[in-house]
Amino acid sequence: MTAILIVEDDQRVAELLKRGLEEFGYGVAVAFDGEMGLRLLRSMNPDLVISDVVLPGMNGFELVREIKKQHAELPVIMLTALGATDDKLEGFDSGAEDYMVKPFDIREVDARIRILLRRKGKGDTRTAFRELTYADLTVNLLTGAVRRKEKEIKLTPKEFNLLTYMMQNPDRVLSRVEIAENVWNTHFDTGTNFIDVYINYLRKKIDRDFESKLIHTKTGVGFIFSSHENQN
């Protein structure tokens, strides 16, 4: 499974891309701004990056330049509503290998990805990233092993899926609706508290025995996975 990092601030577009590419067999993580994209880049070591141009803070051109400083050979596709020739040229000048204009057909995105991976000698070997790392927590996506510092943590499949989704979307608020749709592929029923129950299960295993807490509640909004203090 090839690992794809999507950097896109429009959550609807990001989700369409994520679900579409997962149907083609890719492993996909999503960042909603450039800084978050660079953090995920370090933790997941993707095979390819798809980035929007218009992003909050650091724009897509700046992000690609930073990516290329760290990983010169990492393929990048710029995906944007900006179709002017000057925008495309700036995208290529920043180091991007390809440039696609919205709206897109997911089949064409897949084709562009496969072309770039073949150019880089990866073909369709699909060597997905094996580990997610955040702060002192590590998750092996192939074996299912979870460790925090030197302690091995046993999780149920549902807890594991919840943790990996939170680790792939750090430092931003995740609503109960988003968690329900992306972790359990179901509509969130406001009359139930099953997400809160699983968050509490995960907290007991991930946070309870450690001084630094990673899972925080944003009252009335949702949850945030972060190593930064004062998130409540």
Side-chain angles (χ1 to χ4, degrees):
M1 187 184 292
T2 296
I4 306 293
L5 172 60
I6 296 169
V7 187
E8 168 63 70
D9 66 324
D10 185 322
Q11 189 167 333
R12 184 188 64 83
V13 173
E15 185 56 31
L16 285 173
L17 263 176
K18 182 175 186 294
R19 290 184 179 180
L21 292 177
E22 285 176 341
E23 289 181 3
F24 281 103
Y26 299 102
V28 182
V30 177
F32 294 94
D33 59 53
E35 293 295 337
M36 182 179 174
L38 291 175
R39 289 195 297 272
L40 276 178
L41 181 72
R42 289 189 289 268
S43 65
M44 68 176 279
N45 190 28
D47 294 305
L48 183 140
V49 176
I50 299 174
S51 176
D52 193 11
V53 168
V54 181
L55 296 169
M58 177 189 301
N59 67 39
F61 301 133
E62 295 167 332
L63 172 62
V64 173
R65 291 187 183 97
E66 286 300 316
I67 290 173
K68 292 297 183 175
K69 286 179 184 177
Q70 300 177 31
H71 305 278
E73 299 302 313
L74 180 62
V76 178
I77 297 174
M78 304 209 78
L79 186 68
T80 179
L82 303 176
T85 299
D86 286 347
D87 294 318
K88 292 183 179 181
L89 291 175
E90 186 171 358
F92 290 129
D93 286 345
S94 68
E97 278 75 13
D98 205 348
Y99 199 112
M100 296 186 67
V101 178
K102 302 174 185 176
F104 55 84
D105 185 319
I106 194 65
R107 294 171 297 178
E108 184 179 359
V109 178
D110 172 55
R112 301 284 188 97
I113 290 171
R114 287 187 283 109
I115 289 169
L116 289 178
L117 293 180
R118 282 199 297 269
R119 288 178 185 172
K120 298 299 181 182
K122 290 182 177 293
D124 282 327
T125 54
R126 311 230 165 174
T127 54
F129 53 98
R130 293 172 179 266
E131 287 189 342
L132 291 175
T133 302
Y134 186 88
D136 54 4
L137 179 67
T138 300
V139 172
N140 188 305
L141 298 174
L142 298 183
T143 66
V146 179
R147 301 187 69 86
R148 186 161 186 195
K149 293 186 177 178
E150 299 303 316
K151 181 180 179 180
E152 185 173 352
I153 299 168
K154 299 293 185 181
L155 300 179
T156 68
K158 287 184 178 179
E159 292 166 351
F160 183 85
N161 290 341
L162 176 58
L163 177 62
T164 56
Y165 185 74
M166 297 185 83
M167 290 182 72
Q168 289 171 340
N169 294 275
D171 300 314
R172 73 177 184 88
V173 176
L174 303 174
S175 70
R176 290 169 177 83
V177 171
E178 179 180 348
I179 291 172
E181 291 179 349
N182 290 281
V183 178
W184 280 278
N185 195 28
T186 186
H187 176 71
F188 176 62
D189 182 351
T190 56
T192 67
N193 68 339
F194 77 95
I195 291 177
D196 296 71
V197 168
Y198 274 96
I199 289 287
N200 287 333
Y201 288 160
L202 202 55
R203 271 199 176 111
K204 289 177 182 178
K205 297 181 179 182
I206 297 299
D207 279 344
R208 184 172 61 182
D209 297 332
F210 300 91
E211 182 178 353
S212 174
K213 309 305 179 187
L214 296 176
I215 302 173
H216 308 271
T217 300
K218 301 291 283 187
T219 304
V221 182
F223 307 95
I224 183 168
F225 189 86
S226 179
S227 59
H228 303 300
E229 299 297 329
N230 302 317
Q231 289 292 339
N232 294 329

